[in-house]
């Protein structure tokens, strides 16, 4: 399927996931290595950027 999607910004709340998608040194022999490589390939084909974002955390203070 041919699309014109380019420059997609992917916001991820998990810092570890963002690091796995962006940094080859972090991957090692991760059990999901093949899926991560597929995701990286798709992100590159769309010329996408992965960005870690902080989500609001609700804390119960006593």
């Amino acid at each position: 399927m041919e699309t014109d999607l380019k420059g997609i910004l992917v916001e991820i709340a998990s810092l570890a996931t963002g690091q796995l998608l962006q940094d080859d040194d972090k991957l090692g022999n991760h059990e999901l290595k093949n899926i991560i490589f597929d995701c990286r390939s798709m992100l590159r084909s769309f010329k996408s950027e992965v960005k870690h974002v902080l989500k609001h955390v609700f804390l119960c203070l006593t």
Side-chain angles (χ1 to χ4, degrees), residues 57-62:
V57 178
F58 296 99
L59 300 176
C60 180
L61 302 175
T62 58

Side-chain angles (χ1 to χ4, degrees), residues 2-50:
E2 189 67 30
T3 64
D4 290 329
L5 297 174
K6 300 289 182 206
I8 297 170
L9 175 61
V10 179
E11 294 182 342
I12 298 178
S14 167
L15 180 60
T17 302
Q19 289 173 339
L20 284 172
L21 287 171
Q22 294 177 318
D23 191 355
D24 288 332
D25 296 334
K26 301 275 185 202
L27 192 53
N29 287 326
H30 196 282
E31 61 186 16
L32 298 175
K33 187 175 187 174
N34 292 333
I35 293 172
I36 295 167
F37 275 127
D38 287 346
C39 290
R40 286 180 180 179
S41 176
M42 183 180 64
L43 290 167
R44 283 189 202 111
S45 71
F46 291 138
K47 295 181 174 67
S48 300
E49 176 186 350
V50 176

